[in-house]
Amino acid sequence: MSGLNQTPKGERVHIALFGRRNAGKSSVINAITGQDLAVVSDVKGTTTDPVFKAMELLPLGPVTVIDTPGLDDVGELGRLRVEKANDVLNKTDIALVICDITEGFSSFEAGLLEQIKKKQIPYLIVLNQADRYRGSVQERIKEIAEQTNSPVLAVSAKTKDGVRELKEKIASLVPDEEERRLLGDLLEPGDMVVLVVPIDKAAPKGRLILPQQQAVRDILDAGAVAVVCQNTELKQTLQSLGKTPKLVVTDSQVFGQVAKDTPQEIPMTSFSILMARYKGELPDLIAGAKAVSRLQDGDTVLISEGCTHHRQCEDIGTVKIPKWLREYTGRDIRYETSSGTEFPKELSNYKMVIHCGGCMLNRREMLYRTACCAEQGVPIVNYGILIACMKGILPRCIEPFADAMEAWKQTCGE
Ligand SMILES: Nc1nc2c(ncn2[C@@H]2O[C@H](COP(=O)(O)OP(=O)(O)O)[C@@H](O)[C@H]2O)c(=O)[nH]1
Ligand SMILES: [Mg+2]
């Protein structure tokens, strides 16, 4: 269990359970994890907010299980719950639709299924409370599978019948995405990468932040060598290496100085550009950077951060970026902010969205946010790309990535 909390939330497969109140969603979670984590209640509608739980789910490994409130509630509270559950769908990798086997599949579940299918989320219909069913469970499975044209499984959260099969089925649903790497795909064994990590007031005490840790790990996984130094030591470090590094990766905040201190022939990029590529589509974000030069006085810009309690980004989003944008554009821009799992649905009032690197969000969520922006015609860019753009060094930072260079030439390079 000790390794459990060490897989960052943004890296875990997110499994969400949906269904009517009292179908047994919370009970099923308890049954598959073998732990009493979720609130089970005889009173309808106890769970009011989606509950996110990190856990080890064999044979799958570390996952985040999301217990959603019952969705069939009426009235104001019910509507709120439905909305929240829809938000959950935007970060769901695998959806389980839980129904009471006796009650079966109604138009309510059908509506839910439609949403899930529209978002192309792998899913499974789980008929729970099989211990209470009076007829043939096998017949019931067949009937509902035909009715829904979907994979169906029966379980009893109470007796644990079918629970092992359910866990195996969930594991088989994990999307087989090509494995994405932060930077390992750019490296050969034996390559050297210099990571520039400034230690300033904003740096957390006693540790490195997530993108830095992940970069070190990915370099090691590639059989390459990571050299970590502060920006103040970069020049000297490069001189003493005895070998030309394959890449220099720097924190965005010291971009300017690092670009100066890194000889032109050494490819250079930033942690946030690596993260943008890892979590989303780099070319889309590059295209978004162009919007900066079109900003006018009085325009509103949304600054969106993926984390709520990791304060290290705060100062960048609320203080530094507005200040730099003011200097760069000379415009009087208005800012609104969003943070955590909240992302506004209505974006048309914003001239652009400036997003953090998204190290706390999963790729599905980042792609969803990018798609929301695209749908409403609002350009989106992230911190690192914006900063590089304002400092005029964006082309250099994306040189290692052909598709991003192409997007740059097509849009920003005009
Ligand atoms: N007999 C039986 N009761 C169950 C089963 N699963 C859940 N329940 C009961 O159904 C009620 C609602 O369960 P709960 O997990 O809170 O449902 P939720 O609202 O979907 O999260 C509780 O009283 C549970 O004990 C099951 O497999 N068999
Ligand atoms: Mg519940």
Side-chain angles (χ1 to χ4, degrees):
M1 287 296 287
S2 66
L4 185 59
N5 292 320
Q6 284 160 18
T7 302
K9 180 161 170 276
E11 299 295 313
R12 293 166 174 268
V13 173
H14 285 46
I15 302 167
L17 287 83
F18 301 93
R20 278 186 258 181
R21 285 165 302 151
N22 277 12
K25 296 175 294 296
S26 304
S27 303
V28 168
I29 291 178
N30 290 344
I32 57 179
T33 60
Q35 291 169 296
D36 278 348
L37 293 164
V39 180
V40 177
S41 170
D42 294 322
V43 184
K44 281 205 169 195
T46 319
T47 323
T48 52
D49 273 320
V51 179
F52 293 70
K53 289 275 182 196
M55 56 184 68
E56 194 82 18
L57 187 61
L58 294 172
L60 196 57
V63 299
T64 297
V65 174
I66 311 169
D67 191 7
T68 63
L71 297 180
D72 54 337
D73 236 354
V74 285
E76 202 43 51
L77 186 58
R79 243 196 316 282
L80 200 69
R81 287 178 180 170
V82 170
E83 211 165 89
K84 281 187 179 165
N86 282 331
D87 285 344
V88 169
L89 270 182
N90 294 326
K91 42 191 142 273
T92 297
D93 297 305
I94 296 172
L96 304 182
V97 178
I98 312 289
C99 18
D100 181 331
I101 188 167
T102 309
E103 290 183 22
F105 201 84
S106 68
S107 59
F108 167 75
E109 282 89 2
L112 200 57
L113 202 57
E114 203 176 300
Q115 288 284 94
I116 293 170
K117 283 182 175 170
K118 211 164 83 190
K119 291 182 189 288
Q120 301 185 321
I121 299 168
Y123 69 95
L124 186 62
I125 296 170
V126 180
L127 305 177
N128 184 36
Q129 314 206 16
D131 60 287
R132 282 179 49 234
Y133 194 59
R134 304 225 170 257
S136 155
V137 171
Q138 284 315 313
E139 284 299 314
R140 187 67 162 160
I141 291 175
K142 217 175 122 207
E143 176 197 332
I144 291 177
E146 274 166 18
Q147 180 193 343
T148 59
N149 202 11
S150 296
V152 179
L153 215 74
V155 301
S156 164
K158 189 177 173 186
T159 67
K160 313 280 188 286
D161 265 352
V163 167
R164 210 188 71 188
E165 203 188 339
L166 172 59
K167 290 202 277 188
E168 279 162 11
K169 188 76 194 175
I170 292 171
S172 77
L173 287 179
V174 175
D176 245 353
E177 256 188 70
E178 25 121 21
E179 203 205 340
R180 288 188 81 89
R181 304 282 300 266
L182 195 57
L183 76 171
D185 57 320
L186 305 169
L187 306 174
E188 307 281 339
D191 279 347
M192 196 175 271
V193 179
V194 177
L195 304 176
V196 185
V197 176
I199 305 293
D200 57 13
K201 286 196 307 293
K205 262 209 157 60
R207 62 182 175 85
L208 299 177
I209 61 172
L210 199 49
Q212 296 159 354
Q213 291 174 31
Q214 283 180 307
V216 171
R217 176 58 197 261
D218 205 31
I219 291 166
L220 297 177
D221 281 341
V225 177
V227 175
V228 187
C229 68
Q230 289 197 52
N231 47 312
T232 41
E233 267 67 58
L234 176 64
K235 226 176 181 165
Q236 178 200 327
T237 303
L238 288 175
Q239 279 162 7
S240 61
L241 279 183
K243 165 173 180 169
T244 306
K246 185 72 174 274
L247 188 66
V248 170
V249 183
T250 180
D251 185 287
S252 302
Q253 298 194 60
V254 289
F255 239 127
Q257 191 210 330
V258 171
K260 244 189 351 230
D261 288 350
T262 305
Q264 203 60 41
E265 64 275 12
I266 302 176
M268 184 194 138
T269 192
S270 74
F271 288 105
S272 31
I273 281 167
L274 290 180
M275 207 46 125
R277 184 179 84 111
Y278 183 60
K279 293 284 175 178
E281 295 300 334
L282 194 49
D284 293 345
L285 297 166
I286 300 284
K290 193 187 176 195
V292 173
S293 53
R294 294 193 300 253
L295 290 173
Q296 299 296 327
D297 286 334
D299 280 353
T300 307
V301 166
L302 176 71
I303 297 205
S304 183
E305 294 193 336
C307 34
T308 41
H309 47 269
H310 282 240
R311 320 278 296 187
Q312 71 257 19
C313 306
E314 200 178 54
D315 173 51
I316 304 179
T318 56
V319 181
K320 289 185 179 161
I321 287 192
K323 177 173 160 271
W324 290 333
L325 262 182
R326 154 113 229 155
E327 287 164 7
Y328 182 75
T329 63
R331 304 286 181 195
D332 225 338
I333 299 156
R334 272 194 281 238
Y335 295 94
E336 286 181 22
T337 54
S338 76
S339 66
T341 55
E342 311 283 326
F343 190 70
K345 276 171 202 62
E346 182 53 53
L347 297 167
S348 53
N349 289 333
Y350 304 120
K351 278 292 172 320
M352 69 183 298
V353 174
I354 300 175
H355 206 290
C356 75
C359 64
M360 297 299 285
L361 303 174
N362 64 2
R363 182 169 156 84
R364 180 178 280 276
E365 171 100 36
M366 276 312 292
L367 291 179
Y368 162 73
R369 293 182 177 195
T370 311
C372 278
C373 290
E375 227 165 65
Q376 298 181 49
V378 181
I380 179 169
V381 70
N382 82 357
Y383 288 3
I385 290 168
L386 175 69
I387 293 167
C389 183
M390 291 190 297
K391 296 202 167 158
I393 50 181
L394 187 57
R396 181 162 183 200
C397 298
I398 57 177
E399 234 165 57
F401 315 107
D403 55 349
M405 264 324 263
E406 196 48 42
W408 168 256
K409 282 184 192 138
Q410 277 175 18
T411 59
C412 310
E414 286 169 7

